[in-house]
Amino acid sequence: MHLIDTLEARMAQLDAQHLRRRTRPTQSPCEPHVKLNNRDCLAFCSNDYLGLANHPAVVAALQEGAGLHGAGSGASHLISGHSQAHEALEHRLAEFVNPQFETCRTLFFCTGYMANLAVTPALAATGEPTAIFSEALNHASLIDAVRLARGARMHVYPHGDLRTLETRLAQETATNKLIVTDSVFSMDGDIAPLPQLLALAERYGAWLIVDDAHGFGVLGAGGRGVLEHFGLKSPHIVYMGTLGKAAGVGGAFVAACPQVIDWLVQKARTYIFSTAAPPALAHALCTSLDVIAGLQGHSRRQHLQALIAHLRERMASSSWRLLSSDTPIQPLILGSNETALAVSAQLEAQGLWVPAIRPPTVPPGTARLRIALSAAHSINDVDRLADTLKALQ
Ligand SMILES: *Cc1c(COP(=O)(O)O)cnc(C)c1O
């Protein structure tokens, strides 16, 4: 019984610190207008930035994919689980992101978490002395990936601190150097200085591993993500894009030069030792990519930018201060866990769902509301959020 007693004591501590986390079941698909506790609610929570999670064409493609390929893949990719649908998606993704590389191939993973857990440890397992330079605000999956890269020397550089990074790169004697960073920081919404990071990578012979979970589909005129946004192209980039956020379905991919992809197929443990995602997902994702790359994607990105500008303009005339961000992630820092939970609960009482984000997801003392906008929101939706927040101030 000792373990149960300990767990109960720990949970009581979490409660006292306002840190207990809970799931909230919804009774409707992922959209701005959802049913929560069987009540209509306007949500600013999801990472469905382009509104594709319940897009009729994507839903139809998922159904069609199940008809064509069945429900499950039955095995890992290297046994018998790699279907023509996975193959087609990898080719389609490579074509889509290729302008940002010399030549690239892609590898599809079940989730972004798994893709991240694969890449850094695999690239640190070449037998060469390896050093990893990890940005302080990286996503938990990148932090775990760095921990899994046993034997590598680890440097964590402060958020956006190019000078410290350069000093450490210059001092490092390892022959294999990996810089690992989020592109859009998931809880702050700011964008990493990738042109400068790439310049440092090239100057010091390092590789740049970029997690574009919040940029893929959203950033760049064509929705190709952060590399397109900055006009970057380099064979020294290993790019990870997730497919459960703007692409609206699930999964992730890594894009890199063919040698890196070949190596991942040999060494990426989350790829090798896990059942391939249902092929129907890959089939549906090809339709998501059509939408992202097409006119609809273009107009959805434009609408999203208009919503971001509108929210920031409305909030500028209030006493609430949004963090500086040009992305759909618009955080409102509140400080204590208790305040963040209280404001979130007050909004919910008014039919608005904005999640409170607390440590350890964010540093202690910086609990916040993470307002996430989607192209599926209307200007009216944003006005309702701004009006309700203003009434609370
Ligand atoms: C969501 C997220 C991931 C994980 O992707 P999943 O496909 O949800 O597992 C990785 N990195 C960042 C920055 C994320 O926000």
Side-chain angles (χ1 to χ4, degrees):
M1 285 315 283
H2 183 69
L3 175 62
I4 299 292
D5 295 340
T6 311
L7 295 181
E8 284 179 354
R10 293 287 173 267
M11 291 304 291
Q13 278 172 351
L14 288 177
D15 282 335
Q17 297 167 298
H18 305 279
L19 284 176
R20 183 189 281 253
R21 294 158 179 250
R22 289 187 171 82
T23 52
R24 308 286 312 272
T26 54
Q27 292 86 38
S28 61
C30 172
E31 279 187 345
H33 294 269
V34 295
K35 275 215 184 320
L36 181 66
N37 299 331
N38 287 306
R39 262 181 67 210
D40 290 326
C41 198
L42 174 58
F44 292 89
C45 311
S46 86
N47 303 307
D48 180 26
Y49 300 123
L50 296 181
L52 300 192
N54 197 29
H55 187 290
V58 178
V59 174
L62 186 60
Q63 289 165 337
E64 182 185 73
L68 288 169
H69 304 285
S73 69
S76 64
H77 285 280
L78 294 178
I79 303 296
S80 62
H82 189 72
S83 97
Q84 187 51 44
H86 297 119
E87 186 72 14
L89 174 63
E90 288 179 346
H91 283 291
R92 185 82 178 67
L93 284 164
E95 241 172 53
F96 187 56
V97 297
N98 201 48
Q100 317 312 137
F101 293 84
E102 297 291 332
T103 48
C104 88
R105 275 179 36 209
T106 67
L107 197 63
F108 177 57
F109 284 81
C110 293
T111 70
Y113 206 124
M114 291 170 70
N116 278 343
L117 286 191
V119 171
T120 302
L123 295 184
T126 61
E128 288 284 307
T130 298
I132 298 170
F133 303 84
S134 180
E135 146 78 59
L137 290 193
N138 275 346
H139 187 262
S141 55
L142 287 177
I143 296 173
D144 291 354
V146 169
R147 290 180 183 149
L148 283 176
R150 272 167 301 154
R153 193 151 41 216
M154 211 236 290
H155 305 268
V156 177
Y157 63 93
H159 184 51
D161 186 346
L162 296 165
R163 199 169 291 182
T164 300
L165 173 61
E166 176 156 21
T167 308
R168 302 257 178 94
L169 279 165
Q171 288 166 347
E172 183 52 67
T173 54
T175 44
N176 185 30
K177 302 189 188 85
L178 309 171
I179 303 171
V180 183
T181 186
D182 277 21
S183 60
V184 177
F185 292 92
S186 50
M187 297 300 139
D188 293 60
D190 58 329
I191 304 179
L194 285 186
Q196 292 84 341
L197 288 171
L198 182 60
L200 286 179
E202 293 190 331
R203 187 169 321 143
Y204 293 96
W207 284 74
L208 183 59
I209 300 172
V210 179
D211 173 346
D212 201 23
H214 301 278
F216 182 73
V218 175
L219 296 178
R224 292 185 170 83
V226 74
L227 302 182
E228 184 189 24
H229 172 79
F230 283 121
L232 298 179
K233 176 174 175 146
S234 166
H236 294 113
I237 293 174
V238 178
Y239 176 88
M240 198 286 291
T242 63
L243 300 169
K245 291 175 178 160
V249 182
F253 70 100
V254 175
C257 64
Q259 295 88 336
V260 167
I261 297 298
D262 280 340
W263 181 249
L264 290 179
V265 172
Q266 311 312 309
K267 294 289 174 188
R269 295 172 64 83
T270 57
Y271 181 79
I272 299 169
F273 298 108
S274 188
T275 301
L281 298 191
H283 188 79
L285 280 163
C286 287
T287 299
S288 291
L289 281 183
D290 290 341
V291 178
I292 290 172
L295 274 179
Q296 258 195 71
H298 186 69
S299 61
R300 280 169 188 248
R301 282 185 291 280
Q302 276 187 337
H303 177 60
L304 185 56
Q305 283 309 320
L307 295 174
I308 295 168
H310 188 68
L311 176 69
R312 295 195 67 84
E313 195 183 303
R314 290 289 322 271
M315 297 304 287
S317 60
S318 76
S319 62
W320 301 102
R321 283 290 158 264
L322 292 171
L323 280 186
S324 170
S325 160
D326 300 326
T327 67
I329 303 167
Q330 294 289 325
L332 198 59
I333 304 280
L334 293 169
S336 80
N337 303 332
E338 207 172 349
T339 310
L341 286 177
V343 177
S344 180
Q346 283 172 317
L347 288 172
E348 196 175 322
Q350 309 282 321
L352 293 172
W353 188 12
V354 186
I357 308 288
R358 292 161 288 163
T361 309
V362 294
T366 70
R368 64 198 68 186
L369 294 186
R370 180 183 185 270
I371 300 168
L373 296 172
S374 161
H377 284 118
S378 66
I379 288 279
N380 276 342
D381 292 336
V382 170
D383 277 332
R384 201 176 136 201
L385 173 65
D387 290 341
T388 312
L389 277 169
K390 282 187 178 193
L392 289 183
Q393 69 193 5

